[in-house]
Coordinates of all heavy atoms in Angstrom, one line a residue:
Q13 N -8.1 -7.9 -12.7 CA -7.3 -8.6 -11.8 C -5.9 -8.1 -11.8 O -5.2 -8.0 -10.7 CB -7.3 -10.1 -12.0 CG -6.5 -10.9 -10.9 CD -6.5 -12.3 -11.2 OE1 -7.1 -12.8 -12.2 NE2 -5.9 -13.1 -10.3
G14 N -5.4 -7.6 -12.9 CA -4.0 -7.1 -13.0 C -3.8 -5.9 -12.1 O -2.8 -5.8 -11.4
N15 N -4.7 -5.0 -12.1 CA -4.6 -3.8 -11.3 C -4.6 -4.2 -9.8 O -3.8 -3.7 -9.0 CB -5.7 -2.8 -11.5 CG -5.4 -2.1 -12.8 OD1 -4.3 -2.1 -13.4 ND2 -6.5 -1.4 -13.4
L16 N -5.5 -5.0 -9.4 CA -5.6 -5.5 -8.0 C -4.3 -6.2 -7.6 O -3.8 -5.9 -6.5 CB -6.8 -6.4 -7.8 CG -7.0 -6.9 -6.4 CD1 -7.2 -5.7 -5.5 CD2 -8.2 -7.8 -6.3
S17 N -3.8 -7.0 -8.5 CA -2.5 -7.7 -8.2 C -1.4 -6.8 -7.8 O -0.8 -6.9 -6.8 CB -2.1 -8.6 -9.3 OG -3.0 -9.7 -9.5
H18 N -1.2 -5.8 -8.7 CA 0.0 -4.9 -8.4 C -0.3 -4.0 -7.2 O 0.6 -3.7 -6.5 CB 0.4 -4.1 -9.7 CG -0.3 -2.9 -9.9 ND1 -1.3 -2.8 -10.8 CD2 0.0 -1.6 -9.5 CE1 -1.7 -1.5 -10.8 NE2 -0.9 -0.8 -10.0
E19 N -1.6 -3.6 -7.0 CA -1.9 -2.8 -5.8 C -1.7 -3.6 -4.5 O -1.2 -3.1 -3.6 CB -3.3 -2.3 -5.9 CG -3.4 -1.2 -7.0 CD -4.9 -0.8 -7.2 OE1 -5.7 -1.2 -6.4 OE2 -5.1 0.0 -8.2
V20 N -2.2 -4.8 -4.5 CA -2.0 -5.7 -3.3 C -0.5 -6.0 -3.1 O -0.1 -5.8 -1.9 CB -2.8 -7.0 -3.5 CG1 -2.5 -8.0 -2.4 CG2 -4.3 -6.7 -3.5
I21 N 0.2 -6.3 -4.1 CA 1.6 -6.6 -3.9 C 2.4 -5.3 -3.4 O 3.2 -5.4 -2.5 CB 2.3 -7.0 -5.3 CG1 1.8 -8.5 -5.5 CG2 3.8 -6.9 -5.2 CD1 2.2 -9.1 -6.8
S22 N 2.1 -4.2 -4.0 CA 2.8 -2.9 -3.6 C 2.4 -2.6 -2.1 O 3.3 -2.2 -1.4 CB 2.5 -1.8 -4.5 OG 1.1 -1.3 -4.4
G23 N 1.2 -2.7 -1.7 CA 0.8 -2.4 -0.4 C 1.5 -3.4 0.6 O 2.0 -2.9 1.7
A24 N 1.5 -4.6 0.3 CA 2.1 -5.6 1.2 C 3.6 -5.5 1.3 O 4.2 -5.5 2.3 CB 1.7 -7.1 0.7
A25 N 4.2 -5.2 0.1 CA 5.6 -5.0 0.1 C 6.1 -3.8 0.9 O 7.1 -3.8 1.6 CB 6.1 -5.0 -1.3
A26 N 5.4 -2.7 0.7 CA 5.7 -1.5 1.4 C 5.6 -1.7 2.9 O 6.4 -1.2 3.7 CB 4.8 -0.3 0.9
F27 N 4.5 -2.3 3.3 CA 4.3 -2.6 4.7 C 5.4 -3.4 5.3 O 5.9 -3.2 6.4 CB 2.9 -3.2 5.0 CG 2.7 -3.5 6.4 CD1 2.2 -2.6 7.3 CD2 2.9 -4.8 6.9 CE1 2.0 -2.9 8.6 CE2 2.7 -5.1 8.2 CZ 2.2 -4.2 9.1
E28 N 5.7 -4.5 4.6 CA 6.7 -5.4 5.1 C 8.1 -4.8 5.1 O 8.9 -5.0 6.1 CB 6.8 -6.7 4.2 CG 7.8 -7.7 4.7 CD 7.5 -8.3 6.1 OE1 6.3 -8.2 6.5 OE2 8.4 -8.9 6.7
G29 N 8.4 -4.0 4.1 CA 9.7 -3.3 4.1 C 9.8 -2.3 5.3 O 10.8 -2.2 6.0
F30 N 8.7 -1.6 5.6 CA 8.7 -0.7 6.7 C 8.8 -1.4 8.0 O 9.6 -1.0 8.9 CB 7.3 0.1 6.7 CG 7.3 1.3 7.5 CD1 7.6 2.6 7.0 CD2 7.1 1.3 8.9 CE1 7.7 3.7 7.7 CE2 7.1 2.4 9.7 CZ 7.4 3.6 9.1
K31 N 8.2 -2.5 8.1 CA 8.2 -3.3 9.4 C 9.7 -3.8 9.6 O 10.2 -3.8 10.7 CB 7.3 -4.5 9.3 CG 7.1 -5.3 10.6 CD 6.0 -6.3 10.4 CE 6.7 -7.6 10.5 NZ 5.8 -8.8 10.3
L32 N 10.3 -4.3 8.5 CA 11.7 -4.8 8.6 C 12.6 -3.7 9.1 O 13.5 -3.9 9.9 CB 12.2 -5.4 7.3 CG 11.5 -6.7 6.9 CD1 11.9 -7.0 5.4 CD2 12.0 -7.9 7.8
F33 N 12.5 -2.6 8.4 CA 13.3 -1.4 8.7 C 13.1 -1.0 10.2 O 14.1 -0.8 10.9 CB 13.0 -0.3 7.8 CG 13.7 1.0 8.1 CD1 15.1 1.1 8.0 CD2 13.0 2.1 8.6 CE1 15.8 2.3 8.3 CE2 13.7 3.3 8.9 CZ 15.1 3.4 8.8
E34 N 11.9 -0.8 10.6 CA 11.6 -0.4 11.9 C 12.1 -1.3 13.0 O 12.7 -0.9 14.0 CB 10.1 -0.2 12.1 CG 9.6 0.4 13.4 CD 8.1 0.5 13.4 OE1 7.4 -0.5 13.3 OE2 7.7 1.7 13.6
N35 N 11.9 -2.6 12.8 CA 12.4 -3.6 13.7 C 13.9 -3.6 13.8 O 14.5 -3.7 14.9 CB 12.0 -5.0 13.3 CG 10.5 -5.2 13.6 OD1 9.8 -4.5 14.3 ND2 9.9 -6.2 12.9
H36 N 14.6 -3.4 12.7 CA 16.1 -3.3 12.7 C 16.5 -2.1 13.5 O 17.4 -2.2 14.3 CB 16.6 -3.3 11.3 CG 18.1 -3.1 11.2 ND1 18.7 -1.9 11.1 CD2 19.1 -4.0 11.3 CE1 20.0 -2.0 11.1 NE2 20.3 -3.3 11.2
Q37 N 15.9 -1.0 13.2 CA 16.3 0.3 13.9 C 16.0 0.2 15.4 O 16.8 0.6 16.2 CB 15.6 1.5 13.3 CG 16.0 1.8 11.9 CD 17.5 2.0 11.8 OE1 18.2 1.3 11.2 NE2 18.0 3.1 12.4
R38 N 15.0 -0.4 15.8 CA 14.7 -0.6 17.2 C 15.7 -1.5 17.9 O 16.2 -1.2 19.0 CB 13.3 -1.2 17.4 CG 12.2 -0.3 17.4 CD 10.9 -0.8 18.0 NE 9.9 0.2 18.0 CZ 8.9 0.3 17.1 NH1 8.7 -0.7 16.3 NH2 8.0 1.3 17.2
R39 N 16.1 -2.6 17.2 CA 17.1 -3.5 17.8 C 18.4 -2.8 18.0 O 19.1 -3.0 19.0 CB 17.3 -4.7 16.9 CG 16.3 -5.8 17.1 CD 16.7 -7.1 16.3 NE 17.1 -6.9 15.0 CZ 16.2 -6.9 13.9 NH1 14.9 -7.1 14.1 NH2 16.6 -6.8 12.7
E40 N 18.8 -2.0 17.0 CA 20.0 -1.3 17.0 C 20.0 0.0 17.9 O 21.0 0.5 18.3 CB 20.5 -0.9 15.6 CG 20.7 -2.0 14.7 CD 21.9 -2.8 15.1 OE1 22.9 -2.2 15.4 OE2 21.8 -4.1 15.0
G41 N 18.8 0.5 18.2 CA 18.6 1.7 19.0 C 19.2 2.9 18.3 O 19.7 3.9 18.9
K42 N 19.1 2.9 17.0 CA 19.7 4.0 16.2 C 18.7 5.0 15.6 O 17.5 4.6 15.4 CB 20.5 3.4 15.0 CG 21.7 2.6 15.4 CD 22.4 2.1 14.1 CE 23.6 1.3 14.5 NZ 24.1 0.7 13.3
Q43 N 19.1 6.2 15.4 CA 18.3 7.2 14.7 C 19.0 7.3 13.3 O 20.2 7.1 13.2 CB 18.4 8.5 15.4 CG 17.6 8.6 16.6 CD 17.5 10.0 17.2 OE1 17.7 11.0 16.5 NE2 17.2 10.1 18.5
V44 N 18.3 7.6 12.3 CA 18.8 7.9 11.0 C 18.2 9.2 10.4 O 17.1 9.6 10.8 CB 18.6 6.7 10.0 CG1 19.3 5.5 10.4 CG2 17.1 6.4 9.9
S45 N 19.0 9.8 9.5 CA 18.5 11.0 8.9 C 17.2 10.7 8.1 O 17.1 9.6 7.6 CB 19.5 11.7 8.1 OG 19.8 10.9 6.9
H46 N 16.5 11.7 7.9 CA 15.2 11.6 7.1 C 15.4 11.0 5.7 O 14.8 10.0 5.4 CB 14.7 13.0 6.9 CG 13.2 13.1 6.7 ND1 12.3 12.3 7.4 CD2 12.5 13.9 5.9 CE1 11.1 12.7 7.0 NE2 11.2 13.6 6.1
G47 N 16.4 11.5 5.0 CA 16.7 11.0 3.6 C 17.2 9.6 3.6 O 16.8 8.8 2.8
T48 N 18.1 9.3 4.5 CA 18.6 7.9 4.6 C 17.6 6.9 4.9 O 17.5 5.8 4.4 CB 19.8 7.8 5.6 OG1 20.8 8.8 5.2 CG2 20.4 6.5 5.6
A49 N 16.7 7.2 5.9 CA 15.7 6.3 6.3 C 14.7 6.0 5.2 O 14.4 4.9 4.9 CB 14.9 7.0 7.5
K50 N 14.4 7.1 4.4 CA 13.5 6.9 3.3 C 14.1 6.0 2.2 O 13.5 5.1 1.7 CB 13.1 8.2 2.7 CG 11.8 8.1 1.8 CD 11.5 9.5 1.2 CE 10.8 10.4 2.2 NZ 10.3 11.6 1.5
E51 N 15.4 6.2 1.9 CA 16.1 5.4 0.9 C 16.1 3.9 1.3 O 15.9 3.0 0.5 CB 17.5 5.9 0.7 CG 17.6 7.1 -0.1 CD 19.1 7.6 -0.3 OE1 20.0 6.7 -0.4 OE2 19.3 8.8 -0.3
I52 N 16.5 3.7 2.6 CA 16.6 2.3 3.1 C 15.2 1.7 3.0 O 15.1 0.5 2.6 CB 17.1 2.3 4.5 CG1 18.6 2.7 4.6 CG2 17.0 0.9 5.2 CD1 19.1 3.0 5.9
L53 N 14.2 2.4 3.5 CA 12.8 1.8 3.5 C 12.4 1.5 2.1 O 11.8 0.4 1.9 CB 11.9 2.9 4.1 CG 10.4 2.5 4.1 CD1 10.2 1.2 4.8 CD2 9.6 3.6 4.7
V54 N 12.6 2.4 1.2 CA 12.2 2.1 -0.2 C 12.9 0.9 -0.8 O 12.3 0.1 -1.5 CB 12.3 3.4 -1.1 CG1 12.2 3.1 -2.6 CG2 11.3 4.4 -0.7
G55 N 14.2 0.8 -0.5 CA 15.0 -0.4 -1.0 C 14.4 -1.7 -0.4 O 14.3 -2.7 -1.1
L56 N 14.1 -1.7 0.9 CA 13.6 -2.9 1.5 C 12.2 -3.3 0.9 O 11.9 -4.4 0.6 CB 13.5 -2.8 3.0 CG 14.8 -2.8 3.8 CD1 14.6 -2.4 5.2 CD2 15.4 -4.2 3.8
A57 N 11.4 -2.2 0.8 CA 10.1 -2.5 0.2 C 10.1 -3.0 -1.2 O 9.4 -3.9 -1.6 CB 9.2 -1.2 0.3
T58 N 11.0 -2.4 -2.0 CA 11.2 -2.9 -3.4 C 11.7 -4.3 -3.5 O 11.2 -5.1 -4.3 CB 12.1 -1.9 -4.2 OG1 11.5 -0.6 -4.1 CG2 12.2 -2.3 -5.6
A59 N 12.6 -4.7 -2.6 CA 13.1 -6.0 -2.5 C 11.9 -7.0 -2.2 O 11.8 -8.1 -2.8 CB 14.2 -6.2 -1.5
E60 N 11.1 -6.6 -1.2 CA 9.9 -7.4 -0.9 C 9.0 -7.5 -2.1 O 8.4 -8.6 -2.3 CB 9.2 -6.8 0.3 CG 10.0 -7.0 1.6 CD 10.2 -8.4 2.0 OE1 9.3 -9.3 1.9 OE2 11.4 -8.8 2.3
A61 N 8.8 -6.4 -2.8 CA 8.0 -6.5 -4.0 C 8.5 -7.5 -5.0 O 7.7 -8.2 -5.6 CB 7.8 -5.1 -4.6
E62 N 9.8 -7.5 -5.2 CA 10.4 -8.4 -6.2 C 10.1 -9.8 -5.8 O 9.8 -10.7 -6.6 CB 12.0 -8.2 -6.2 CG 12.4 -7.0 -6.8 CD 12.4 -7.1 -8.4 OE1 12.2 -8.1 -8.9 OE2 12.6 -6.0 -9.0
K63 N 10.2 -10.1 -4.5 CA 9.9 -11.5 -4.0 C 8.4 -11.9 -4.4 O 8.2 -13.0 -4.9 CB 10.1 -11.6 -2.5 CG 11.5 -11.6 -2.1 CD 11.6 -11.7 -0.6 CE 12.9 -11.3 0.0 NZ 12.8 -11.3 1.5
L64 N 7.5 -10.9 -4.1 CA 6.1 -11.2 -4.3 C 5.8 -11.3 -5.8 O 5.0 -12.1 -6.3 CB 5.2 -10.1 -3.7 CG 5.2 -10.2 -2.2 CD1 4.5 -8.9 -1.6 CD2 4.4 -11.4 -1.7
I65 N 6.5 -10.5 -6.6 CA 6.3 -10.5 -8.1 C 6.7 -11.8 -8.6 O 6.0 -12.4 -9.4 CB 7.0 -9.3 -8.7 CG1 6.4 -8.0 -8.4 CG2 7.2 -9.5 -10.2 CD1 7.2 -6.8 -8.7
E66 N 7.8 -12.3 -8.2 CA 8.3 -13.6 -8.6 C 7.4 -14.7 -8.2 O 7.0 -15.7 -8.9 CB 9.7 -13.9 -8.1 CG 10.8 -13.1 -8.8 CD 12.2 -13.3 -8.3 OE1 12.4 -14.4 -7.6 OE2 13.1 -12.5 -8.5
K67 N 6.9 -14.7 -6.9 CA 6.0 -15.7 -6.4 C 4.7 -15.7 -7.1 O 4.2 -16.8 -7.4 CB 5.8 -15.4 -4.9 CG 5.0 -16.5 -4.2 CD 4.9 -16.1 -2.7 CE 4.1 -17.2 -2.0 NZ 4.0 -16.9 -0.5
K68 N 4.2 -14.6 -7.5 CA 2.9 -14.5 -8.1 C 3.0 -14.6 -9.6 O 2.0 -14.8 -10.3 CB 2.2 -13.1 -7.8 CG 1.8 -13.0 -6.4 CD 0.7 -14.0 -6.0 CE 0.2 -13.8 -4.6 NZ -0.8 -14.8 -4.2
G69 N 4.2 -14.5 -10.2 CA 4.4 -14.7 -11.6 C 3.9 -13.6 -12.4 O 3.3 -13.8 -13.5
L70 N 4.0 -12.3 -12.0 CA 3.5 -11.2 -12.7 C 4.4 -11.0 -13.9 O 5.6 -11.2 -13.9 CB 3.4 -9.9 -11.9 CG 2.4 -9.8 -10.8 CD1 2.5 -8.5 -10.1 CD2 1.0 -10.0 -11.4
G71 N 3.8 -10.5 -15.0 CA 4.5 -10.1 -16.2 C 5.4 -8.9 -16.0 O 5.3 -8.2 -14.9
T72 N 6.2 -8.6 -16.9 CA 7.1 -7.5 -16.8 C 6.4 -6.1 -16.5 O 6.8 -5.4 -15.6 CB 8.0 -7.3 -18.1 OG1 8.7 -8.6 -18.3 CG2 9.0 -6.2 -17.9
H73 N 5.4 -5.9 -17.3 CA 4.6 -4.6 -17.2 C 4.0 -4.5 -15.8 O 4.1 -3.5 -15.1 CB 3.6 -4.5 -18.3 CG 2.8 -3.2 -18.2 ND1 3.4 -2.0 -18.5 CD2 1.5 -3.0 -17.9 CE1 2.5 -1.0 -18.3 NE2 1.3 -1.6 -18.0
E74 N 3.3 -5.5 -15.4 CA 2.6 -5.5 -14.1 C 3.6 -5.5 -13.0 O 3.4 -4.8 -12.0 CB 1.7 -6.7 -13.9 CG 0.4 -6.6 -14.7 CD -0.5 -5.5 -14.2 OE1 -0.7 -5.4 -12.9 OE2 -0.9 -4.7 -15.0
G75 N 4.7 -6.2 -13.1 CA 5.8 -6.1 -12.1 C 6.4 -4.8 -11.9 O 6.6 -4.3 -10.8
E76 N 6.6 -4.1 -13.1 CA 7.1 -2.7 -13.0 C 6.1 -1.8 -12.3 O 6.5 -0.9 -11.6 CB 7.5 -2.2 -14.4 CG 8.8 -2.8 -14.9 CD 10.0 -2.7 -14.0 OE1 10.2 -1.6 -13.5 OE2 10.7 -3.7 -13.8
R77 N 4.9 -1.9 -12.7 CA 3.8 -1.1 -12.0 C 3.8 -1.4 -10.5 O 3.6 -0.4 -9.7 CB 2.5 -1.4 -12.7 CG 2.3 -0.8 -14.0 CD 1.0 -1.1 -14.7 NE -0.1 -0.5 -13.9 CZ -1.4 -0.8 -14.1 NH1 -1.7 -1.7 -15.0 NH2 -2.3 -0.2 -13.4
A78 N 3.9 -2.6 -10.1 CA 3.9 -3.0 -8.7 C 5.1 -2.4 -8.0 O 5.0 -1.8 -6.9 CB 3.9 -4.5 -8.5
K79 N 6.3 -2.4 -8.6 CA 7.5 -1.8 -8.0 C 7.4 -0.3 -7.8 O 7.7 0.3 -6.8 CB 8.8 -2.2 -8.7 CG 9.1 -3.7 -8.5 CD 10.5 -4.0 -9.1 CE 10.4 -4.1 -10.6 NZ 11.7 -4.6 -11.2
H80 N 6.8 0.3 -8.9 CA 6.6 1.8 -8.8 C 5.7 2.1 -7.7 O 5.9 3.1 -6.9 CB 6.2 2.3 -10.2 CG 5.9 3.8 -10.2 ND1 6.9 4.7 -10.2 CD2 4.7 4.4 -10.2 CE1 6.3 5.9 -10.2 NE2 5.0 5.8 -10.2
A81 N 4.5 1.4 -7.7 CA 3.6 1.7 -6.6 C 4.1 1.4 -5.2 O 3.8 2.1 -4.3 CB 2.3 0.9 -6.9
T82 N 5.0 0.4 -5.1 CA 5.6 0.1 -3.8 C 6.5 1.2 -3.4 O 6.4 1.6 -2.2 CB 6.5 -1.2 -4.0 OG1 5.6 -2.3 -4.3 CG2 7.2 -1.5 -2.7
R83 N 7.3 1.8 -4.2 CA 8.1 2.9 -3.9 C 7.2 4.1 -3.4 O 7.5 4.7 -2.4 CB 9.0 3.4 -5.0 CG 10.1 2.4 -5.3 CD 11.1 3.0 -6.4 NE 10.6 2.9 -7.7 CZ 10.7 1.8 -8.5 NH1 11.2 0.7 -8.1 NH2 10.2 1.9 -9.7
Q84 N 6.2 4.4 -4.1 CA 5.3 5.5 -3.7 C 4.6 5.2 -2.3 O 4.5 6.1 -1.5 CB 4.2 5.7 -4.8 CG 4.7 6.3 -6.0 CD 3.7 6.5 -7.1 OE1 2.7 5.7 -7.2 NE2 3.7 7.6 -7.8
N85 N 4.1 3.9 -2.2 CA 3.5 3.6 -0.9 C 4.5 3.7 0.3 O 4.1 4.1 1.3 CB 2.9 2.2 -1.0 CG 1.6 2.1 -1.8 OD1 0.9 3.1 -1.9 ND2 1.3 0.9 -2.3
A86 N 5.7 3.2 0.1 CA 6.7 3.2 1.1 C 7.0 4.7 1.5 O 7.1 5.0 2.7 CB 7.9 2.5 0.7
E87 N 7.2 5.5 0.6 CA 7.5 6.9 0.9 C 6.3 7.6 1.6 O 6.5 8.3 2.5 CB 7.8 7.7 -0.4 CG 9.2 7.3 -1.0 CD 9.5 8.0 -2.3 OE1 8.7 8.9 -2.7 OE2 10.6 7.8 -2.8
W88 N 5.1 7.3 1.1 CA 3.9 7.8 1.8 C 3.8 7.3 3.2 O 3.5 8.1 4.1 CB 2.6 7.4 1.0 CG 1.4 8.0 1.6 CD1 0.8 9.2 1.4 CD2 0.5 7.3 2.5 NE1 -0.3 9.4 2.1 CE2 -0.5 8.2 2.8 CE3 0.5 6.0 3.1 CZ2 -1.6 7.9 3.7 CZ3 -0.5 5.7 3.9 CH2 -1.5 6.6 4.2
M89 N 4.0 6.0 3.4 CA 3.9 5.5 4.8 C 4.9 6.2 5.7 O 4.7 6.5 6.8 CB 4.2 4.0 4.8 CG 3.0 3.2 4.2 SD 3.4 1.4 4.1 CE 3.4 1.0 5.8
Y90 N 6.1 6.4 5.2 CA 7.2 7.0 6.0 C 6.8 8.5 6.3 O 6.9 8.9 7.5 CB 8.5 7.0 5.2 CG 9.6 7.7 6.0 CD1 10.3 7.0 7.0 CD2 10.0 9.0 5.8 CE1 11.3 7.6 7.7 CE2 11.0 9.6 6.5 CZ 11.6 8.9 7.5 OH 12.6 9.5 8.3
E91 N 6.3 9.2 5.4 CA 5.9 10.6 5.6 C 4.7 10.6 6.7 O 4.7 11.5 7.5 CB 5.4 11.3 4.3 CG 6.5 11.5 3.3 CD 7.6 12.4 3.9 OE1 7.3 13.3 4.7 OE2 8.8 12.2 3.5
Q92 N 3.8 9.7 6.6 CA 2.7 9.7 7.5 C 3.2 9.3 9.0 O 2.6 9.8 9.9 CB 1.6 8.7 7.1 CG 1.0 9.0 5.8 CD 0.3 10.3 5.8 OE1 -0.5 10.6 6.7 NE2 0.6 11.2 4.9
Y93 N 4.2 8.5 9.0 CA 4.7 8.0 10.3 C 5.6 8.9 11.0 O 5.7 9.0 12.2 CB 5.3 6.6 10.1 CG 5.7 5.9 11.3 CD1 4.8 5.2 12.0 CD2 7.0 5.9 11.7 CE1 5.1 4.5 13.1 CE2 7.4 5.1 12.9 CZ 6.4 4.4 13.6 OH 6.8 3.7 14.7
N94 N 6.4 9.6 10.2 CA 7.5 10.4 10.8 C 7.3 11.9 10.7 O 6.8 12.4 9.7 CB 8.8 10.0 10.0 CG 10.0 10.8 10.6 OD1 10.3 10.7 11.7 ND2 10.7 11.5 9.7
N95 N 7.8 12.6 11.7 CA 7.8 14.1 11.7 C 9.2 14.5 12.2 O 9.7 13.9 13.2 CB 6.7 14.7 12.6 CG 5.3 14.4 12.1 OD1 5.1 14.6 10.9 ND2 4.4 14.1 13.0
G96 N 9.8 15.4 11.5 CA 11.1 15.9 12.0 C 12.2 15.5 11.1 O 12.0 14.8 10.1
D97 N 13.5 15.8 11.5 CA 14.6 15.6 10.7 C 15.3 14.2 11.0 O 16.0 13.7 10.1 CB 15.7 16.6 11.0 CG 15.3 18.0 10.5 OD1 14.5 18.1 9.6 OD2 15.8 19.0 11.1
Q98 N 15.0 13.6 12.1 CA 15.6 12.3 12.5 C 14.4 11.3 12.7 O 13.3 11.6 13.1 CB 16.3 12.4 13.8 CG 17.6 13.3 13.7 CD 18.7 12.6 13.0 OE1 19.0 11.5 13.2 NE2 19.3 13.4 12.1
Y99 N 14.7 10.1 12.4 CA 13.8 9.0 12.6 C 14.3 8.1 13.7 O 15.4 7.6 13.7 CB 13.7 8.1 11.3 CG 12.8 6.9 11.5 CD1 11.4 7.1 11.6 CD2 13.3 5.7 11.6 CE1 10.6 6.0 11.7 CE2 12.5 4.6 11.7 CZ 11.2 4.7 11.8 OH 10.3 3.6 12.0
N100 N 13.5 8.0 14.8 CA 13.9 7.2 15.9 C 12.7 6.3 16.2 O 11.7 6.7 16.9 CB 14.2 8.0 17.1 CG 14.7 7.2 18.3 OD1 14.7 6.0 18.3 ND2 15.1 7.9 19.3
P101 N 12.7 5.0 15.8 CA 11.5 4.2 16.0 C 11.3 3.9 17.5 O 10.2 3.5 17.9 CB 11.8 2.9 15.2 CG 13.3 2.9 15.0 CD 13.7 4.4 15.0
S102 N 12.3 4.0 18.3 CA 12.2 3.7 19.7 C 11.3 4.8 20.4 O 10.8 4.5 21.5 CB 13.5 3.6 20.4 OG 14.3 2.6 19.9
S103 N 11.1 5.9 19.8 CA 10.3 7.0 20.4 C 8.9 6.8 20.2 O 8.1 7.5 20.7 CB 10.8 8.4 19.9 OG 10.4 8.5 18.5
Q104 N 8.5 5.8 19.3 CA 7.1 5.6 19.1 C 6.8 4.1 19.2 O 7.7 3.3 19.0 CB 6.7 6.0 17.6 CG 6.9 7.5 17.4 CD 6.6 7.8 15.9 OE1 6.6 7.0 15.1 NE2 6.5 9.1 15.7
G105 N 5.6 3.8 19.5 CA 5.2 2.4 19.7 C 5.1 1.7 18.3 O 5.1 2.3 17.3
P106 N 5.1 0.4 18.3 CA 5.0 -0.4 17.1 C 3.7 -0.1 16.3 O 2.7 0.3 16.9 CB 5.0 -1.9 17.5 CG 5.4 -1.9 18.9 CD 5.2 -0.5 19.5

């Protein structure tokens, strides 16, 4: 159950962080550089992971594994979604 917990948390957190970032960028109508977008996305996803870790009461080790996996998932999602030097969420559908 420990592995499943951190995998589920990391996937959910990465998705939620990506969604928050994308919605914000659409509202603002802004483009951001590749590196900045990835940093912001990973930060939001990790913050979401922290919330879920606290809510689920994971131990320190499992929580760290979940945060690490969240960062990896968020970066992977960004790479799959984006091509090019600039990120413009308005150029793609939700």
Side-chain angles (χ1 to χ4, degrees):
Q13 184 180 2
N15 286 343
L16 182 58
S17 293
H18 88 264
E19 289 174 9
V20 169
I21 285 173
S22 70
F27 178 80
E28 183 63 20
F30 196 94
K31 188 174 115 183
L32 289 169
F33 173 70
E34 185 178 61
N35 289 343
H36 178 265
Q37 291 304 112
R38 278 199 177 106
R39 278 192 308 275
E40 299 290 319
K42 295 180 180 176
Q43 291 187 17
V44 292
S45 70
H46 205 43
T48 303
K50 198 182 284 189
E51 283 181 37
I52 293 168
L53 175 59
V54 168
L56 287 169
T58 303
E60 289 300 314
E62 288 282 351
K63 289 181 199 174
L64 289 169
I65 289 165
E66 288 178 18
K67 185 176 181 180
K68 294 293 182 183
L70 288 183
T72 304
H73 180 68
E74 283 296 310
E76 288 303 314
R77 287 178 64 191
K79 286 190 283 186
H80 178 72
T82 297
R83 286 188 286 275
Q84 289 180 322
N85 283 337
E87 289 178 1
W88 180 84
M89 288 173 73
Y90 180 81
E91 292 298 330
Q92 296 301 308
Y93 188 79
N94 182 54
N95 292 319
D97 294 334
Q98 296 285 315
Y99 175 74
N100 183 356
S102 297
S103 68
Q104 298 177 345

